Amino acid sequence: MNLLNLANIKKSFYGVEVLHSVDFSLKAGTVHALMGENGAGKSTLMKIIAGVHKPDSGTISIDGKSVEISNPLEARHLGIAMIHQELTPVNEMTVAENVFLGREPVRMGLIDHKKLYSQTKELLDKLNISIDPREKMKNLRVADQQMIEIAKAISQNARIVIMDEPTSSITDREVEILFKLIDDLKSKGTAIIYISHKIDEILRISDEISILRDGFNVGTWKAGEIDVDTIIRNMVGRELTAQFPKVNVPIGEKILEVKNLTLKGQYEDISFDLHKGEILGFVGLVGSGRTELMDSIFGLTQPDSGRILLNGKEVRFKGPKDAIRSGLAYVTEDRKQEGLVLPMSVHHNVTLTFLRNFVRHGIIQSRKEVSVVRDQVRALNIKTASVSQTINSLSGGNQQKVVLAKWMITAPGIIIFDEPTRGIDVGAKVEIYKIMCEYVAQGNAIIMVSSEMPEAMGMSDRIIVLSNHKYSGELKRGEFSEEAIAQLQFKHMVKSLIN
Amino acid sequence: MNNLSSGISARNKLSARQFVSTFGSLIGLIVLVILMTILKPTFIGGANIRNILRIASINGLLAIGMSFVIITGGIDLSVGAIMGCAGMYSAYFAQTKMGYPWWVAVAVGLGMGLLIGLFNGICIAYLKVPAFVGTLGAMSIAKGFTFLLTDAKPIPSLNNEFKFIGGGNIGGWLPVPIVIMLVVLVICFTLFYKTRYGRYVFAVGGNHNAAHISGINTKAIICSVYAISGLLAALAGVITTARVTSGVTSTGDGYETNAIAMVVIGGTSLAGGRGRLWGTIVGILLLQCLTNGLDMLGVNAYYQLIIKGFVVIGAVMLDGLRND
């Protein structure tokens, strides 16, 4: 019998039906992957299961018994837990305090801290998670915070765990840890609904795969009976020519040289060159110093020593402003934290980097501004009702394109991309890759930091691997392989593990 | 969002709700004016309107300055104290016996406000003092300087040109404070919506990191909003002092809370990044009309405080509905 059964679920928002009679079933002790482009209805369906939304019609049953889930608390009582893509830990509290938030063990009216920590320790041990329960949440990496979130769900006796893009911000090694945990959960009878855009992962860990498209359930397959092409075709409803539309561009002269750049504790003695027409990949585990290095190149932090040469001339950026004026752009890892001003419109976000271009006698020439924004919206195919729409109303892929647009208008010679396609759907990914290719074809250059191995290998001309804050090696396009990269990633790890 | 099922279609209901939350304060203002006109026809008379606007222009200057600060996500508790300080120092130089021209007195007053505002800005933007604490400190410091000047004694007999700033009428009917307020409004609207500066103020408040990475000098922006707030508060202090024709140390006491209330009634979010200047203007007029109207109806001042408290909370509650 199915653990969870949804039949004929319909849901409309503002008169628009976003789910059309969707059926979905989940068996105990299995992983059921849910795929679909952004806007296909995955989130809505999951929010219905988690009690955030109520379906307009249709039935939900657990263990064959019809249930009504009218709020998240009821969902929790029914054993349903959702791990959101964007985690919301209480940063200043410890791991244990987060796990038992709202249901702390109490003795004589006071929190029993001893029990709190021992219970958490027990829980984490059971799940093979080696994190100190007394560590403050803010000191944990995103991946570890995710583990804690899962542990929390398990401690609440969750039988159905919904994971929304759990691997969007963690490295491959951490993914392995997560998958091991998922296997453990499965063997204990927990059912997992796994939402992800990463097809490789899904084929690896799921037992069943359902694909949603435009609010319809296109179908459910056993994992062994479906391949990558079929998945993509069903998701987008059309054939995608290639996942990585890499175009080979002649590599030109040197545009950027980084020499012996060091910032103690972040990255050490890093040297590399970047050429026109090149996409230079940067790979390394989270914490290997990739982002910190990019921050310094863009002037957000100051290196302790080393030199940066741009077109042969030494530069020293005191801040992002200097970097921008010298033709650099930085698409940061986290578009909501660092890329976009959420309460602002698309239009105002796009021109933020280059307002001086639109000013005459101190006054912004809004007509010129809007026309440039419209051009970008068209060029990058940003789907928005109007340019005055606020950023919040856009999907992840379109938000990322707005970040891109705001840098494109500065006509940079070099764009640094930190995780260019994190958390966006396949269709939008391909579009962003195409934009990247067009951009370097015009004689520009890209530095791309990526945690997604296929992306790094699919798009880069060269890959530089960082390991434990140090340069550990470089691979040319012909030499790419997951093994070679992984070896380099761990090159400087072994010694550091000893001390 | 779950229970949008009654007779009206969801779309209409949503826009009705958005309408209320966007224009709630404006509707409140219109209703109030109509109500008062019915109860007391003299409310809408030229003399009373002029009176309301004259007082509103003083509070308005504070609220406009406060809007800049709040949109960056900050708060300025020192505006009332700056008003008093600027008022006293300008009064000192405006005394007939000192023999300085009026503009020297004004410049000294405004200079004091700008100085304290910059002090706030530097503490908050560069020395990382939280805005609440920094401006609370500045409030005390400004008060101290105000008392020190004359040992807390009032400053009487100011020169006539100076007094004209607060009590004079242009063409015999248009109060000078209203003219000043209008000029300030035009400048601030332009700054807010037509210049890079205004855009940057919103960007810094909406997402400090994103603004910084976009090449904006976020510290300078934050510092500047406190300078503007200080300057406008000082202007309000100078006008008030000129109007009451003597420097009094209690000028501006408690005005900061009014200013904050007016800004939030106007729909500006204390979290920063979200706000509108016309909303602040509605907030200013709403509170001023309410005070004036209740006065005309002879409502006890203590009841007035209670009513105003509910109005502030109610207005912000309506605004919060939008984010549901």
Side-chain angles (χ1 to χ4, degrees):
Chain A
M1 187 173 55
N2 291 328
L3 174 57
L4 173 73
N5 218 40
L6 304 183
N8 289 318
I9 299 290
K10 283 187 189 174
K11 178 73 188 171
S12 303
F13 290 114
Y14 316 127
V16 180
E17 195 166 90
V18 295
L19 288 179
H20 317 283
S21 295
V22 171
D23 294 341
F24 182 84
S25 61
L26 180 68
K27 297 182 187 71
T30 65
V31 175
H32 193 146
L34 189 60
M35 303 193 71
E37 288 195 290
N38 289 347
K42 292 171 302 187
S43 303
T44 309
L45 188 64
M46 289 309 107
K47 282 180 178 163
I48 284 174
I49 299 175
V52 179
H53 296 319
K54 258 167 94 171
D56 297 337
S57 66
T59 55
I60 305 175
S61 53
I62 291 180
D63 288 330
K65 272 188 297 224
S66 171
V67 291
E68 198 162 313
I69 312 171
S70 42
N71 59 50
L73 196 65
E74 279 181 34
R76 200 208 281 178
H77 288 315
L78 289 166
I80 299 166
M82 183 153 175
I83 317 288
H84 291 275
Q85 185 179 0
E86 271 143 36
L87 303 171
T88 49
V90 186
N91 276 321
E92 290 296 327
M93 286 190 179
T94 63
V95 166
E97 284 167 332
N98 268 281
V99 170
F100 285 99
L101 193 63
R103 48 195 183 98
E104 294 82 356
V106 175
R107 227 180 73 190
M108 300 195 313
L110 300 173
I111 293 178
D112 185 348
H113 282 100
K114 222 183 203 170
K115 205 167 162 192
L116 176 72
Y117 288 107
S118 67
Q119 281 186 351
T120 308
K121 182 96 184 47
E122 220 171 278
L123 174 72
L124 296 181
D125 285 348
K126 198 174 77 187
L127 296 170
N128 291 320
I129 300 172
S130 53
I131 296 170
D132 182 3
R134 291 176 187 274
E135 190 63 66
K136 277 207 174 148
M137 211 63 180
K138 66 174 177 190
N139 298 333
L140 263 50
R141 294 174 303 182
V142 178
D144 290 336
Q145 292 183 355
Q146 216 159 36
M147 300 288 166
I148 299 304
E149 203 71 28
I150 295 166
K152 184 175 173 178
I154 300 305
S155 73
Q156 293 168 358
N157 298 318
R159 303 159 64 204
I160 299 169
V161 178
I162 304 167
M163 296 187 186
D164 189 5
E165 291 281 353
T167 58
S168 62
S169 55
I170 65 179
T171 56
D172 287 353
R173 193 170 63 104
E174 292 164 329
V175 170
E176 293 307 319
I177 303 172
L178 176 72
F179 284 2
K180 215 182 146 292
L181 181 59
I182 289 176
D183 277 337
D184 279 356
L185 295 179
K186 262 172 69 172
S187 64
K188 294 189 175 94
T190 310
I192 290 158
I193 303 176
Y194 191 94
I195 300 177
S196 177
H197 293 305
K198 298 183 184 171
I199 301 173
D200 295 345
E201 281 177 9
I202 289 212
L203 287 173
R204 225 185 100 189
I205 62 153
S206 40
D207 301 290
E208 283 181 296
I209 298 169
S210 286
I211 298 177
L212 289 189
R213 188 173 76 223
D214 302 330
F216 289 99
N217 187 345
V218 185
T220 298
W221 289 263
K222 290 229 157 45
E225 297 168 357
I226 189 167
D227 59 15
V228 179
D229 289 341
T230 319
I231 291 177
I232 294 180
R233 197 173 53 241
N234 279 292
M235 265 169 62
V236 298
R238 60 180 185 272
E239 300 280 345
L240 277 184
T241 41
Q243 208 179 341
F244 300 106
K246 173 79 178 162
V247 179
N248 281 319
V249 174
I251 304 295
E253 67 221 61
K254 232 182 256 177
I255 178 165
L256 179 80
E257 287 172 79
V258 170
K259 294 191 167 169
N260 309 103
L261 213 61
T262 299
L263 177 58
K264 291 214 172 60
Q266 308 288 344
Y267 53 85
E268 284 158 38
D269 199 22
I270 308 284
S271 302
F272 67 89
D273 298 338
L274 178 70
H275 301 85
K276 289 186 173 172
E278 187 175 39
I279 298 180
L280 176 60
F282 263 83
V283 169
L285 305 172
V286 169
S288 62
R290 301 171 307 179
T291 300
E292 291 76 4
L293 174 64
M294 298 310 148
D295 283 354
S296 289
I297 293 173
F298 196 64
L300 281 166
T301 54
Q302 301 301 318
D304 294 330
S305 60
R307 302 194 300 153
I308 300 173
L309 284 82
L310 193 65
N311 294 315
K313 266 184 287 181
E314 177 154 3
V315 288
R316 194 160 284 268
F317 301 138
K318 284 197 230 77
K321 197 173 176 178
D322 294 344
I324 294 167
R325 295 218 170 186
S326 298
L328 263 68
Y330 191 13
V331 177
T332 46
E333 183 177 4
D334 191 328
R335 58 180 164 267
K336 288 197 174 157
Q337 289 295 323
E338 298 169 328
L340 298 166
V341 183
L342 294 178
M344 272 190 166
S345 64
V346 170
H347 157 202
H348 287 185
N349 266 287
V350 169
T351 55
L352 203 54
T353 46
F354 206 37
L355 266 184
R356 69 190 153 91
N357 191 39
F358 306 106
V359 172
R360 247 179 64 195
H361 310 305
I363 302 293
I364 297 172
Q365 308 293 303
S366 40
R367 200 172 301 165
K368 186 178 167 195
E369 198 193 354
V370 170
S371 88
V372 167
V373 174
R374 291 230 168 90
D375 287 348
Q376 284 297 326
V377 165
R378 216 169 303 128
L380 302 184
N381 190 22
I382 299 171
K383 291 189 188 92
T384 174
S386 84
V387 293
S388 52
Q389 193 102 350
T390 53
I391 287 292
N392 312 29
S393 58
L394 269 59
S395 72
N398 283 307
Q399 286 182 357
Q400 186 71 350
K401 287 189 201 162
V402 173
V403 179
L404 221 56
K406 82 177 222 188
W407 291 116
M408 285 298 186
I409 65 162
T410 68
I414 301 172
I415 303 183
I416 304 171
F417 283 89
D418 196 354
E419 307 289 0
T421 62
R422 194 175 123 182
I424 63 180
D425 64 62
V426 184
K429 270 185 184 184
V430 174
E431 283 187 72
I432 286 181
Y433 295 143
K434 279 189 181 146
I435 295 164
M436 291 168 78
C437 290
E438 278 165 31
Y439 173 74
V440 290
Q442 293 156 11
N444 302 305
I446 287 176
I447 299 177
M448 180 182 74
V449 173
S450 178
S451 292
E452 291 185 40
M453 214 61 100
E455 172 176 283
M457 297 197 298
M459 292 303 295
S460 309
D461 294 290
R462 274 186 301 148
I463 291 179
I464 290 178
V465 184
L466 296 189
S467 171
N468 195 26
H469 314 292
K470 293 186 199 68
Y471 175 94
S472 79
E474 180 180 321
L475 298 167
K476 292 200 175 54
R477 189 155 177 87
E479 310 162 348
F480 294 166
S481 76
E482 299 224 14
E483 261 185 353
I485 293 173
Q487 259 173 9
L488 288 173
Q489 278 185 338
F490 288 99
K491 187 169 161 189
H492 297 296
M493 297 294 283
V494 189
K495 220 190 311 174
S496 73
L497 287 176
I498 295 165
N499 55 36
Chain B
M1 237 190 261
N2 292 329
N3 38 18
L4 297 174
S5 51
S6 60
I8 320 167
S9 84
R11 188 176 293 273
N12 284 339
K13 192 154 179 181
L14 180 91
S15 54
R17 173 190 263 188
Q18 274 193 331
F19 184 80
V20 168
S21 66
T22 309
F23 299 105
S25 299
L26 185 61
I27 297 165
L29 177 63
I30 293 167
V31 169
L32 180 70
V33 170
I34 294 171
L35 207 68
M36 279 310 302
T37 310
I38 296 166
L39 292 173
K40 284 267 172 185
T42 48
F43 178 83
I44 205 78
N48 193 48
I49 293 291
R50 219 177 309 154
N51 189 31
I52 291 176
L53 290 181
R54 205 190 53 235
I55 304 168
S57 53
I58 307 253
N59 280 307
L61 287 170
L62 298 184
I64 297 290
M66 189 70 78
S67 297
F68 281 86
V69 172
I70 290 182
I71 286 175
T72 64
I75 192 93
D76 189 350
L77 300 178
S78 64
V79 290
I82 291 176
M83 244 184 103
C85 188
M88 278 302 272
Y89 278 82
S90 63
Y92 189 81
F93 284 87
Q95 292 174 88
T96 327
K97 65 178 183 192
M98 299 288 285
Y100 287 108
W102 65 273
W103 55 267
V104 171
V106 172
V108 168
L110 297 186
M112 282 306 277
L114 188 62
L115 217 60
I116 302 169
L118 274 173
F119 173 79
N120 275 330
I122 290 166
C123 286
I124 294 159
Y126 295 96
L127 307 174
K128 312 259 184 267
V129 178
F132 195 95
V133 178
T135 58
L136 195 66
M139 175 178 175
S140 177
I141 293 168
K143 267 278 162 232
F145 277 110
T146 310
F147 291 134
L148 267 180
L149 184 65
T150 60
D151 216 5
K153 288 194 237 341
I155 302 172
S157 49
L158 312 180
N159 70 50
N160 285 329
E161 292 93 337
F162 183 78
K163 285 190 280 195
F164 185 78
I165 298 166
N169 291 307
I170 290 172
W173 63 276
L174 185 60
V176 176
I178 297 180
V179 177
I180 295 175
M181 176 68 192
L182 287 177
V183 171
V184 168
L185 264 184
V186 169
I187 294 171
C188 287
F189 260 98
T190 311
L191 261 184
F192 244 62
Y193 298 111
K194 296 281 176 199
T195 69
R196 279 197 276 174
Y197 178 76
R199 201 68 70 73
Y200 291 170
V201 166
F202 277 98
V204 167
N207 188 340
H208 188 274
N209 285 336
H212 179 55
I213 290 174
S214 301
I216 296 169
N217 189 344
T218 52
K219 286 179 179 163
I221 297 287
I222 291 176
C223 186
S224 70
V225 294
Y226 291 93
I228 289 175
S229 176
L231 186 65
L232 291 181
L235 186 54
V238 170
I239 295 171
T240 309
T241 303
R243 164 104 191 128
V244 299
T245 69
S246 65
V248 194
T249 54
S250 64
T251 302
D253 279 0
Y255 273 51
E256 59 278 353
T257 48
N258 266 335
I260 296 168
M262 287 166 173
V263 175
V264 296
I265 286 177
T268 296
S269 155
L270 284 174
R274 218 172 296 224
R276 13 188 159 78
L277 214 45
W278 71 259
T280 299
I281 295 165
V282 172
I284 296 163
L285 292 176
L286 181 65
L287 272 195
Q288 222 63 71
C289 287
L290 190 67
T291 310
N292 178 277
L294 293 172
D295 276 341
M296 285 181 86
L297 294 173
V299 175
N300 174 324
Y302 305 145
Y303 281 118
Q304 287 197 19
L305 284 176
I306 296 172
I307 293 169
K308 272 195 252 176
F310 278 112
V311 167
V312 173
I313 295 171
V316 177
M317 200 181 68
L318 275 183
D319 196 59
L321 288 180
R322 186 202 346 229
N323 304 324
D324 267 7

